[in-house]
Amino acid sequence: MTQNIAILGASGYTGAELARIIATHPSMRITALSGDRKAGMSMGEVFPHLRHMNLPDLVKIEEIDFSTIDLAFCALPHATSQAVIKELPRDLKVVDLSADFRLRDPAEYEKWYGKPHAAVELQKEAVYGLTEFYRDEIRTARLCAGTGCNAAAGQYALRPLIEAGVIDLDEIIIDLKAGVSGAGRSLKENLLHAELSGGTMPYSAGGKHRHLGEFDQEFSKIAGRDVRVQFTPHLMPFNRGILATVYVRGEPQAIYDAMSRRYADEVFLEVLPFGTLPSTRSIAGSNYVHVGVVGDRLPGRALVMVALDNLCKGSSGQAIQNANLMLGLEETAGLMLAPVFP
Amino acid sequence: MTQNIAILGASGYTGAELARIIATHPSMRITALSGDRKAGMSMGEVFPHLRHMNLPDLVKIEEIDFSTIDLAFCALPHATSQAVIKELPRDLKVVDLSADFRLRDPAEYEKWYGKPHAAVELQKEAVYGLTEFYRDEIRTARLCAGTGCNAAAGQYALRPLIEAGVIDLDEIIIDLKAGVSGAGRSLKENLLHAELSGGTMPYSAGGKHRHLGEFDQEFSKIAGRDVRVQFTPHLMPFNRGILATVYVRGEPQAIYDAMSRRYADEVFLEVLPFGTLPSTRSIAGSNYVHVGVVGDRLPGRALVMVALDNLCKGSSGQAIQNANLMLGLEETAGLMLAPVFP
Amino acid sequence: MTQNIAILGASGYTGAELARIIATHPSMRITALSGDRKAGMSMGEVFPHLRHMNLPDLVKIEEIDFSTIDLAFCALPHATSQAVIKELPRDLKVVDLSADFRLRDPAEYEKWYGKPHAAVELQKEAVYGLTEFYRDEIRTARLCAGTGCNAAAGQYALRPLIEAGVIDLDEIIIDLKAGVSGAGRSLKENLLHAELSGGTMPYSAGGKHRHLGEFDQEFSKIAGRDVRVQFTPHLMPFNRGILATVYVRGEPQAIYDAMSRRYADEVFLEVLPFGTLPSTRSIAGSNYVHVGVVGDRLPGRALVMVALDNLCKGSSGQAIQNANLMLGLEETAGLMLAPVFP
Amino acid sequence: MTQNIAILGASGYTGAELARIIATHPSMRITALSGDRKAGMSMGEVFPHLRHMNLPDLVKIEEIDFSTIDLAFCALPHATSQAVIKELPRDLKVVDLSADFRLRDPAEYEKWYGKPHAAVELQKEAVYGLTEFYRDEIRTARLCAGTGCNAAAGQYALRPLIEAGVIDLDEIIIDLKAGVSGAGRSLKENLLHAELSGGTMPYSAGGKHRHLGEFDQEFSKIAGRDVRVQFTPHLMPFNRGILATVYVRGEPQAIYDAMSRRYADEVFLEVLPFGTLPSTRSIAGSNYVHVGVVGDRLPGRALVMVALDNLCKGSSGQAIQNANLMLGLEETAGLMLAPVFP
């Protein structure tokens, strides 16, 4: 049975990516789209690449009749999301793509996002959306909180290793290269083509990036003790893709084995042969994740490298994977799209 | 019923694009892949983005048992293709993506490609693969010749106008911007990132580009007289996409109407509202074509602009569309993939 | 003797390019910089690539003591420029980089820029800044109006041909590919990396681009009759460089000869061997212009191709070339910087 | 007095970059250029961006009369260089840009480059070309060995800190992002625009990159004990620029102070304000180096980030800086070119 889908905040990149995937999803149909500043416009004007889909026009959220909706994706900006979701019908299934429900602890939320959470009770209810690690909870969730795209990359690299106890928890460095679409469709000088193309620079270096809140929460939970990693993202002159280069201490082969075992049955996680290095080009446009492990010349040190598409597996693809579970559909439905290369 | 597919010349970009589309095609299964220099390698080594498909390893053509194959895509280099296809079983359905069977006249072939055709009888049999204009012939064809990618772009812009008699046949200029993947995976200095990125230049200017052979053949056939266009391709610093900016003489509104009428029922051809300009970004990764028409400030002059993805609609997507017809499948099967943006 | 230079509107790309060139100019010293919204900031904060120059901080225009200034470059937005220059000391030499003083006829200005000119008397006084064609007037000018960057490219291609009478004045098409820095440092969605990179699209097609005002004025003046060209710019996914592909009617050899003769003594204009095609990559970062001529397969038709750097020769390099003349310096002073490749 | 300069191996990128800089160098004149495979071609054919310089044609090395040459830059491939330099006149000043004379220990050379050194006596004579740290030796050198471009970036980040004793020598990780021109003008599949643009991947990860030989040699020498760092380069989709993100243990402020002190008098080294992050865009096209230091949220840990242009300061600019010293010229002559942005 086809599910009726609403996308709130459809004029941003994650909204567009949801629509792109749903275009060939066998059991989802978009029946409502909201976009506050662009309400009244057709989706084909806002995103000409979707014009063939003949989608409904963008409306304001309050114009949507949610009684006909089976599931709503909420692709609104951080902070806006919690205010909107609080007002939605309490029995509506919601997959949120913002940062609003990723952190369980209100104090942590306030620390990283600079103001108190406005929907603390929902925060408690929300299930963290890293599918391969929260599958059962997501299946029965009403509200699922999408992970940060960088946070997803780092966790795919590290969770199996922390679970297996094969790395030193005090010596973890995540050097991350992030495609620019992760910054959204926002009008900032540093996101202009003339400023960004042809070079790179770090940002939020030294422990300032908000996705550290997710790392702290999740890694500490698995380890049963506080884990604090170093994390340096770099803004990359390409549109899609994250490469996380993760420096760890442990035996490379044990690390590789733990990784391979953990992801052996996961459709979207491809552990490359030992020593093979992943490229973001090999997963762009898809829900696949490539994981590489290589030992260092220094004994007891290894590198784990993860490549995923920030908009797809890091955001909208993950969201649809979770929605599939919440709606009782095949988990991979609509998500088997192959990466686009070259 | 699932069709068994072979891809000959699978280590190039059009081969990879065929595999990408077939990954989610409901009725095709790849059962053989050839790649001469890379025979013995796995497809995942040659194209890591396809490793999740668990495709057969690359073999030499002579190792393939064609009795089990329903249709072969031939993605070999120009000139190689004719030699190979000549040796294939005479009842095997073949879609050729090379230039070898595009021109019907052996003299024209020799003029543009510099040597005599080695399979003249097959050349006669081949059907030209511009689906929307040769649909019926393709349906019953044994051998279908894929069009040039630039040739497809120019024809989508001009065929409806020549058919409708709304433009001056002696005043046609095609200024074309072509993404670099159209040049294939060949090791040439001018295709290196360091040489190509960050700028543009024309190539084969002044009437030297081989796709002119197709323009001459097709436009003259429609017009019932010789038609010779000007055509200047430019090498673009992006991977996918062709934009053809076509300068014509005629009444803009009549041109727009002829275009709209002709493509009204075509799934993959989107005629934008009058005056709207297409972008290659809006069709990349898909089989869609965006067509724009705008009048010039000079009376009696207009511009027609066509954007398509050279690897998909201009080559491998077109090939699958034609294969669908030849195999009695739904014409659009596997091809409804939405464009990838951003 | 070192000349004291002010740059008004130094926080934009043409302002930065002026500073870059002056960094190694033997006879210019920047003594004042203005930037309204960024007044109070250091130039190193606004443009980190210039931090080593230890430039004066940005101030508001009214804070500058113009009595110590030998020449002011005015790199302000269109329309702002005329208001500002009107208030400057009447004996201050000014090179304006905006569009405000390019058109001599107030009616034409209003037609293309949508409102009446606010400094009509200055408009009369201003000398058009295409150095190679207005050298003598510029030498004695007080106010020099920089050309449009696209307008410069088109004129370098066509002026010698119109002067020599070797082309048909009614059959001129300029298909232009323009690097994104020509659009300035403005926060527009279509200038974001995520939107612009990886593809191309036309803009202002059909006779709407303002630089047509310059073409109309200049070509008609040379020809002694109205000349109206077709002009289609395309936004390119690179930062610097314009390629103008110009379609003309005439004998290719005569066209080439006229071109070669006209530019034989010009330091910055390089006419490539007949049939050689220019690339924007070969002039980026420099004041050089590459000009190519090739005959078409259709008799009596030719293509002229011009590549220049929109920020340098198309704007700030040109401005400094003109300033050199106005200040009695060597015309090429500071401008012999070689192009940057790769 | 103008110095006569030869460039051996002028058809590669470092050769072109030498010519670009010499174009505006006050005291150097190129009088001979060699390029084996391209001997007989004009430099304007090989590098159209240099055509205005009217350089001598490329010849074979044996055709050059070295008696008229004051200094030769040797921009030949690794291994070729040692064979060629061995045959040059013993009193000719030579700046080598290859890897052949960077390592002092023949065993280390063989370990990293896979075969015995063919000119061991020259290897002993060569002075390591990191100007700011070997200035006096270079001034009197006959043969100067240019550093690896990545090796330069890592050393600018770490030498002052090792000298000052402010970091833990056993806990150093260099995560490096390298523009593609560092790989030279070689025809490799992974360097094609279609393969490289739009994404990133690591290479030589885990301690395999040859520049580790330089790190080992230099850092151990300074420290007076063995120092072994981790080093992971990543291939970047841009042409110029290296960003080294270096993870160290020590007090951030002490690190910053050591850095600032060490580079206080260095013209080309800009230590940014504490906490400010460098961008490769801010140094591209120039000989400047931007250095940033930021503390991590984890006490006792810091990041040092270095941005430089691999072709200029990392190779040809460095070579000219060293040549200036060897020729008794002003060290900065010809090198004050400002970075090119945007």
Side-chain angles (χ1 to χ4, degrees), chain B residues 12-189:
Chain B
Y13 293 148
T14 55
E17 181 73 352
L18 287 166
R20 176 180 83 92
I21 298 169
I22 293 175
T24 44
H25 193 292
S27 315
M28 289 187 184
R29 168 176 53 201
I30 296 173
T31 54
L33 294 169
S34 88
D36 250 31
R37 281 175 311 161
K38 297 191 175 168
M41 292 178 72
S42 75
M43 198 63 169
E45 288 171 282
V46 177
F47 286 118
H49 71 291
L50 299 175
R51 71 189 312 281
H52 69 280
M53 289 181 72
N54 297 316
L55 291 165
D57 286 353
L58 292 170
V59 297
K60 290 187 176 296
I61 291 172
E62 50 270 30
E63 299 175 57
I64 298 176
D65 174 6
F66 285 100
S67 70
T68 66
I69 303 293
D70 294 299
L71 184 142
F73 291 103
C74 196
L76 295 161
H78 306 320
T80 307
S81 212
Q82 52 193 269
V84 165
I85 294 177
K86 204 164 54 170
E87 303 303 323
L88 294 178
R90 290 298 319 232
D91 59 344
L92 179 68
K93 289 185 206 300
V94 175
V95 176
D96 185 37
L97 287 81
S98 83
D100 280 9
F101 298 101
R102 293 170 186 167
L103 301 182
R104 269 177 297 272
D105 180 346
E108 279 294 299
Y109 178 85
E110 188 167 348
K111 171 178 148 199
W112 288 104
Y113 292 90
K115 47 184 165 185
H117 203 285
V120 176
E121 58 302 335
L122 285 176
Q123 197 186 7
K124 281 185 207 127
E125 179 191 353
V127 171
Y128 191 65
L130 199 72
T131 325
E132 289 77 6
F133 296 91
Y134 285 91
R135 191 170 273 127
D136 292 340
E137 292 90 327
I138 294 166
R139 207 170 260 126
T140 60
R142 206 238 357 140
L143 169 58
C144 178
T147 72
C149 53
N150 300 323
Q155 290 182 69
Y156 284 126
L158 286 163
R159 291 186 77 119
L161 312 185
I162 300 176
E163 285 174 358
V166 293
I167 57 168
D168 183 336
L169 298 176
D170 297 316
E171 303 282 349
I172 299 171
I173 292 175
I174 303 173
D175 189 282
L176 190 133
K177 294 86 182 167
V180 65
S181 64
R185 208 178 198 182
S186 40
L187 296 179
K188 294 182 187 156
E189 217 165 64

Side-chain angles (χ1 to χ4, degrees), chain B residues 153-341:
Chain B
Q155 290 182 69
Y156 284 126
L158 286 163
R159 291 186 77 119
L161 312 185
I162 300 176
E163 285 174 358
V166 293
I167 57 168
D168 183 336
L169 298 176
D170 297 316
E171 303 282 349
I172 299 171
I173 292 175
I174 303 173
D175 189 282
L176 190 133
K177 294 86 182 167
V180 65
S181 64
R185 208 178 198 182
S186 40
L187 296 179
K188 294 182 187 156
E189 217 165 64
N190 69 324
L191 304 183
L192 292 174
H193 187 283
E195 309 267 331
L196 181 66
S197 69
T200 190
M201 67 177 304
Y203 66 100
S204 301
K208 301 195 190 74
H209 196 286
R210 289 164 163 184
H211 291 181
L212 277 166
E214 293 174 67
F215 288 140
D216 289 356
Q217 169 181 288
E218 296 298 312
F219 295 154
S220 299
K221 185 178 157 204
I222 305 168
R225 48 154 282 198
D226 268 8
V227 177
R228 296 289 175 268
V229 303
Q230 285 187 272
F231 170 46
T232 316
H234 298 75
L235 191 56
M236 287 285 124
F238 51 79
N239 294 337
R240 279 176 184 255
I242 287 175
L243 180 75
T245 311
V246 185
Y247 296 87
V248 292
R249 306 285 169 95
E251 284 312 310
Q253 189 63 48
I255 286 167
Y256 185 72
D257 293 345
M259 196 71 88
S260 301
R261 266 196 314 273
R262 181 59 185 82
Y263 293 137
D265 297 327
E266 291 295 346
V267 170
F268 295 119
L269 278 127
E270 298 262 326
V271 180
L272 307 181
F274 189 69
T276 300
L277 308 176
S279 165
T280 62
R281 286 296 303 279
S282 299
I283 48 74
S286 85
N287 209 46
Y288 293 95
V289 183
H290 281 194
V291 182
V293 177
V294 59
D296 195 75
R297 64 168 182 163
L298 302 185
R301 304 198 187 188
L303 287 86
V304 181
M305 288 147 300
V306 164
L308 57 76
D309 182 325
N310 56 299
L311 278 184
C312 195
K313 184 60 171 167
S315 189
S316 302
Q318 180 198 79
I320 286 178
Q321 194 175 350
N322 292 335
N324 284 341
L325 290 171
M326 291 162 72
L327 293 166
L329 304 172
E330 182 73 29
E331 182 181 329
T332 60
L335 291 169
M336 302 299 284
L337 301 167
V340 178
F341 175 91

Side-chain angles (χ1 to χ4, degrees), chain A:
Chain A
M1 207 191 75
T2 300
Q3 307 285 325
N4 291 326
I5 300 296
I7 301 175
L8 312 185
S11 61
Y13 293 147
T14 54
E17 181 73 350
L18 287 166
R20 176 180 83 92
I21 298 169
I22 294 175
T24 45
H25 193 293
S27 315
M28 288 187 183
R29 168 177 52 202
I30 296 173
T31 54
L33 294 168
S34 87
D36 251 32
R37 279 175 312 161
K38 296 190 175 168
M41 292 178 74
S42 76
M43 197 64 169
E45 288 171 282
V46 176
F47 287 117
H49 70 292
L50 300 176
R51 71 189 314 281
H52 68 281
M53 288 181 70
N54 297 315
L55 292 165
D57 286 352
L58 293 169
V59 298
K60 289 184 176 298
I61 291 172
E62 51 269 31
E63 300 175 56
I64 297 176
D65 174 7
F66 285 100
S67 69
T68 67
I69 303 293
D70 293 300
L71 184 142
F73 291 103
C74 195
L76 295 161
H78 305 321
T80 307
S81 212
Q82 52 194 269
V84 164
I85 293 177
K86 202 164 56 171
E87 303 303 323
L88 294 178
R90 289 299 318 236
D91 58 345
L92 179 68
K93 289 185 204 304
V94 175
V95 176
D96 184 37
L97 287 82
S98 83
D100 280 8
F101 298 101
R102 294 170 186 167
L103 301 182
R104 268 178 296 273
D105 180 346
E108 280 295 299
Y109 178 85
E110 187 167 348
K111 171 179 147 196
W112 289 105
Y113 292 91
K115 48 183 165 185
H117 202 287
V120 177
E121 58 301 335
L122 286 176
Q123 197 185 6
K124 283 186 204 126
E125 178 192 353
V127 171
Y128 191 64
L130 200 71
T131 324
E132 288 77 7
F133 296 91
Y134 285 91
R135 191 171 272 127
D136 292 339
E137 293 90 328
I138 293 166
R139 208 170 259 127
T140 59
R142 205 231 7 133
L143 169 59
C144 178
T147 73
C149 52
N150 300 322
Q155 290 181 68
Y156 284 127
L158 287 163
R159 292 186 77 118
L161 311 185
I162 300 176
E163 285 173 359
V166 293
I167 57 169
D168 183 337
L169 298 176
D170 296 316
E171 302 283 348
I172 298 171
I173 293 175
I174 304 173
D175 190 283
L176 191 135
K177 295 84 182 166
V180 64
S181 64
R185 206 178 200 181
S186 40
L187 296 178
K188 293 182 187 157
E189 218 166 61
N190 69 324
L191 304 182
L192 292 174
H193 186 283
E195 310 266 330
L196 181 66
S197 69
T200 188
M201 68 177 302
Y203 66 98
S204 300
K208 302 196 190 74
H209 196 285
R210 290 165 164 182
H211 290 180
L212 276 166
E214 293 174 67
F215 289 140
D216 290 355
Q217 168 181 288
E218 295 297 311
F219 295 155
S220 300
K221 185 179 158 203
I222 305 169
R225 50 155 282 199
D226 268 8
V227 177
R228 295 289 176 268
V229 303
Q230 284 187 272
F231 170 45
T232 317
H234 299 76
L235 191 55
M236 288 284 125
F238 50 79
N239 294 336
R240 278 176 184 254
I242 287 175
L243 180 75
T245 310
V246 185
Y247 296 87
V248 292
R249 306 284 169 95
E251 283 313 309
Q253 189 64 51
I255 287 168
Y256 184 73
D257 293 345
M259 196 71 89
S260 300
R261 266 196 314 274
R262 181 60 185 81
Y263 293 138
D265 297 328
E266 290 295 345
V267 171
F268 295 119
L269 277 127
E270 299 262 324
V271 180
L272 308 181
F274 189 69
T276 299
L277 308 176
S279 165
T280 62
R281 287 296 304 279
S282 298
I283 47 75
S286 85
N287 209 48
Y288 293 95
V289 182
H290 281 195
V291 182
V293 177
V294 60
D296 195 75
R297 63 168 182 162
L298 301 185
R301 303 197 188 188
L303 287 85
V304 181
M305 289 147 297
V306 164
L308 57 75
D309 182 326
N310 56 298
L311 278 184
C312 193
K313 184 59 171 167
S315 190
S316 302
Q318 179 198 81
I320 286 178
Q321 194 175 349
N322 292 335
N324 285 341
L325 289 171
M326 292 162 73
L327 293 166
L329 304 172
E330 183 72 30
E331 182 181 327
T332 61
L335 292 169
M336 301 301 284
L337 302 167
V340 178
F341 176 90

Side-chain angles (χ1 to χ4, degrees), chain D residues 221-255:
Chain D
K221 186 179 157 203
I222 305 169
R225 49 155 282 198
D226 269 8
V227 177
R228 296 288 175 267
V229 304
Q230 285 187 271
F231 170 45
T232 316
H234 298 75
L235 191 55
M236 288 285 124
F238 50 80
N239 294 336
R240 278 176 184 255
I242 287 175
L243 180 75
T245 311
V246 185
Y247 297 87
V248 292
R249 305 285 168 96
E251 283 314 308
Q253 188 64 48
I255 287 167

